[in-house]
Amino acid sequence: MCYTEAMNKTFSLKSFLEKYSNDEACLEEIFKIKYPKGAFCLKCNIISKFYKVTKRPVYQCVCGFNISPLAGTIFEKTTTPLQYWFYAMFLVSNTRSGVSAKTLQREIGVTYKTAWRMFRQIRILMAESGGGLLEGVVEVDETFVGGKAKNRKNEWRQGVEEKQKEILRGMVERGGKVYMKHIPNTGKWTLINQIKENISPDARIMTDEYMAYKKLPEYGYQHDFVTHSHNEYARGQIHTQNIENVWSHLKRGITGVYRIVSAKYLQSYADEFAFRYNHRKNQAQMFEILFDQIASTRALKT
Ligand SMILES: [Zn+2]
């Protein structure tokens, strides 16, 4: 697999190794991101100067008060060197369609189990938190993941009959972000609640002809739809092509990189995909964006 091309355009491996040359340097960066205005000493009751304690991931105030920058982060209980973690984040943020745990295992030289766990934690950094409401024109659609359905019409029927198929709902703002939710069913209430939570009441929503969407105007939404069952895919500005592009990329990613994604991990995969999509215009800053999440994201209990 070739990572070199993507890396050259962004944050290079050379700059990465210079900046994060060892674990102390990585810890120092985590300290800075967690305490951008300096760390507060509970004993001295002021923002104090802290010094790194030798051989432990701990900082100490002159009064003897200790703080651990890793507490509450995805690195909290790790025995894997921080530099490996950072390199894993570097790989994840510098590839277009994702990295598998197998690749992480090979690139970092840890066990598959460790690579897989690291990957799970890193994905938490990619989960959209408080991204705000989607506005303007928003396309909404669902897709079934898993199975072999050839087209949507059949997917709907099979979705009812074959319980093993998982459903993702996507909401994409034209020219903006995508949100994706792994949903238990395509019922009206799940739909209405998700739309209220994620889409501005002033937005213009575009969908296909599925029944539940036809209720949207009752909830105050401006709604247009195309009738896929009549082979109508676009009527001027009315179409769902953006969300359909998202689906096809997402599915290609699943088959190409991960082979399969089980129901349990579908949401975390969708989060990873959405993270890449939502920061597609900041490819060069992807690592930093991911890094910035360290302070605000809690570790996953595994
Ligand atoms: Zn102190």
Side-chain angles (χ1 to χ4, degrees):
M1 218 171 285
C2 178
Y3 295 109
T4 335
E5 193 190 344
M7 281 174 191
N8 285 342
K9 287 181 210 147
T10 58
F11 180 38
S12 74
L13 180 59
K14 187 168 173 282
S15 342
F16 172 84
L17 292 171
E18 276 166 13
K19 191 165 182 189
Y20 306 107
S21 53
N22 54 49
D23 265 32
E24 298 253 320
C26 296
L27 189 67
E28 183 70 28
E29 290 302 315
I30 296 172
F31 184 91
K32 281 191 216 157
I33 205 118
K34 274 197 83 173
Y35 314 104
K37 292 175 184 157
F40 189 82
C41 175
L42 285 173
K43 216 166 151 188
C44 304
N45 218 20
I46 49 160
I47 287 180
S48 183
K49 176 99 184 93
F50 281 78
Y51 301 89
K52 169 78 176 55
V53 174
T54 319
K55 291 182 179 168
R56 287 170 60 207
V58 169
Y59 282 72
Q60 196 169 62
C61 174
V62 279
C63 73
F65 180 76
N66 282 347
I67 55 170
S68 164
L70 302 185
T73 70
I74 62 166
F75 315 112
E76 185 165 10
K77 290 190 178 131
T78 191
T79 51
T80 306
L82 288 173
Q83 203 191 15
Y84 291 10
W85 276 97
F86 280 33
Y87 184 62
M89 286 164 60
F90 175 79
L91 284 182
V92 167
S93 57
N94 278 280
T95 48
R96 293 225 178 265
S97 48
V99 189
S100 65
K102 196 85 194 146
T103 305
L104 274 190
Q105 174 196 9
R106 198 177 50 230
E107 291 271 324
I108 305 176
V110 291
T111 64
Y112 180 78
K113 204 171 165 185
T114 301
W116 187 84
R117 283 193 180 145
M118 289 170 82
F119 198 34
R120 288 261 288 142
Q121 299 285 1
I122 290 169
R123 270 188 181 165
I124 304 171
L125 302 178
M126 299 174 127
E128 186 69 45
S129 50
L133 296 173
L134 302 176
E135 292 178 358
V137 177
V138 180
E139 299 174 20
V140 180
D141 193 24
E142 290 88 30
T143 196
F144 287 91
V145 179
K148 291 177 190 140
K150 290 280 189 293
N151 62 52
R152 180 98 188 290
K153 206 172 158 191
N154 291 333
E155 283 180 6
W156 279 111
R157 287 202 201 106
Q158 292 183 6
V160 175
E161 290 156 19
E162 296 175 21
K163 288 278 185 245
Q164 74 271 25
K165 278 191 138 194
E166 301 301 322
I167 315 163
L168 275 182
R169 168 166 294 130
M171 294 162 269
V172 63
E173 177 181 307
R174 281 196 195 156
K177 288 184 176 184
V178 68
Y179 292 164
M180 281 185 279
K181 311 282 173 194
H182 181 196
I183 52 172
N185 60 65
T186 54
K188 184 180 110 179
W189 290 112
T190 322
L191 173 74
I192 298 299
N193 289 334
Q194 279 183 337
I195 286 193
K196 282 183 180 167
E197 268 168 38
N198 298 291
I199 304 177
S200 159
D202 303 325
R204 186 176 173 200
I205 298 177
M206 308 222 171
T207 69
D208 62 18
E209 73 274 26
Y210 179 57
M211 280 304 290
Y213 297 133
K214 294 184 178 167
K215 302 279 180 198
L216 289 174
E218 291 175 27
Y219 296 87
Y221 286 95
Q222 200 187 334
H223 176 231
D224 292 287
F225 62 94
V226 278
T227 312
H228 285 174
S229 57
H230 294 168
N231 286 324
E232 182 196 51
Y233 292 94
R235 201 166 63 250
Q237 288 305 301
I238 303 166
H239 61 78
T240 54
Q241 276 153 14
N242 293 284
I243 190 66
E244 279 158 34
N245 285 342
V246 165
W247 296 146
S248 73
H249 280 120
L250 177 111
K251 289 179 182 183
R252 230 177 300 154
I254 291 176
T255 19
V257 181
Y258 305 100
R259 303 284 164 219
I260 49 159
V261 174
S262 70
K264 195 174 167 194
Y265 305 119
L266 183 58
Q267 184 63 56
S268 78
Y269 176 71
D271 289 341
E272 184 191 344
F273 183 92
F275 177 86
R276 283 179 214 291
Y277 183 91
N278 295 341
H279 298 291
R280 63 197 181 279
K281 290 166 190 160
N282 302 317
Q283 181 70 30
Q285 282 86 45
M286 202 95 76
F287 180 82
E288 286 152 55
I289 296 165
L290 196 60
F291 195 83
D292 281 342
Q293 299 297 320
I294 290 173
S296 58
T297 314
R298 296 200 70 85
L300 186 76
K301 305 280 177 248
T302 46

